[in-house]
Amino acid sequence: VIKGKDPITGGTYDALDYEQLLWVHACLQISSIYFYEKTVKKLSDDEKNQYHKENMLAAKIMLVDVNRMPKTHEELKEWVINKSKDKDYLLLTDVAQDVYDIIAGGPVPVHIKPIWPFISFTAFNTLPKEFKDIYGIKETNLSRNVWQKVSSWSSDDTDDR
C-alpha cells in the first residue's frame, strides 16, 4: 500500500484514505459531467443523479466507502467546492506543473498536433476557477468569447457540427 509523508505539504498520503479516494473519484465524475455539458448537451438533475448513482459502483470498486459518500451529484460537487477552499488543499506541485506543461504544448503525438491547440484550450477552459487560479490561467475576452461559441454548440439543435 502506498503510504507516506508528502514532502510538499507535510501531510500524510495514504492510498486507502477515504477523503483522498473520494477526492479523485469526485473530480473525475464532476469533470466528466462538466465536459459533457459543455460539449454535448445539458443534463437534468435527474440525469446527473442517475450518473452519480451508477458511478458509485466504480467508487466502490476503487475502495471508496459509498455509505459515507454524498448521495447526490450536487452534494458531491459541493463537497469538492468546499474542499477546494480549504487552505493549502490545492497546491501547484511539480507533477501538476508537468501536466500543465504537457497540456500547454509539451510533447504531442504527431497525429494529434493539428488539433492540439483546441484540446489544450478546452482542457484549460473546462477547469474550475480554483484550479485556474493555481495554474495562473487568466480569462481573456477572446477566450471567453471562443468558449461561449464552443459551449453553444452543445445547445444547438442541429447535427451539422
Side-chain angles (χ1 to χ4, degrees):
V1 174
I2 298 172
K3 187 174 184 175
K5 196 79 154 171
D6 185 320
I8 296 170
T9 66
T12 300
Y13 175 79
D14 183 346
L16 298 178
D17 177 75
Y18 168 75
E19 184 176 296
Q20 293 172 17
L21 289 168
L22 181 59
W23 175 262
V24 171
H25 175 79
C27 289
L28 290 171
Q29 176 178 314
I30 291 164
S31 63
S32 64
I33 286 177
Y34 183 78
F35 188 79
Y36 183 87
E37 289 189 316
K38 289 292 188 183
T39 59
V40 180
K41 71 174 188 118
K42 298 288 182 205
L43 297 173
S44 69
D45 288 342
D46 287 343
E47 289 171 317
K48 290 177 193 176
N49 286 328
Q50 182 63 34
Y51 181 77
H52 176 70
K53 182 178 173 186
E54 292 170 2
N55 213 14
M56 288 177 87
L57 176 59
K60 187 174 184 176
I61 291 169
M62 300 310 296
L63 305 177
V64 174
D65 181 353
V66 295
N67 295 318
R68 295 173 53 195
M69 189 173 173
K71 301 303 179 208
T72 67
H73 173 74
E74 191 59 34
E75 288 174 10
L76 186 68
K77 185 176 169 182
E78 283 302 313
W79 181 83
V80 167
I81 290 168
N82 289 333
K83 290 305 299 177
S84 297
K85 293 176 181 177
D86 285 357
K87 184 177 177 355
D88 295 332
Y89 196 78
L90 299 176
L91 299 172
L92 181 60
T93 63
D94 58 336
V95 174
Q97 185 64 51
D98 288 345
V99 171
Y100 175 90
D101 292 343
I102 290 168
I103 294 172
V108 178
V110 173
H111 65 284
I112 294 177
K113 279 190 186 235
I115 62 169
W116 190 254
F118 177 73
I119 293 170
S120 175
F121 176 80
T122 303
F124 284 132
N125 282 281
T126 56
L127 289 172
K129 180 189 178 317
E130 295 82 6
F131 290 71
K132 286 181 184 179
D133 291 346
I134 287 172
Y135 282 120
I137 298 168
K138 304 289 184 228
E139 189 174 85
T140 65
N141 285 336
L142 176 62
S143 69
R144 186 174 24 263
N145 290 339
V146 170
W147 190 245
Q148 285 173 345
K149 179 62 178 169
V150 170
S151 296
S152 74
W153 295 343
S154 67
S155 61
D156 289 347
D157 291 328
T158 59
D159 289 330
D160 53 8
R161 283 182 232 139

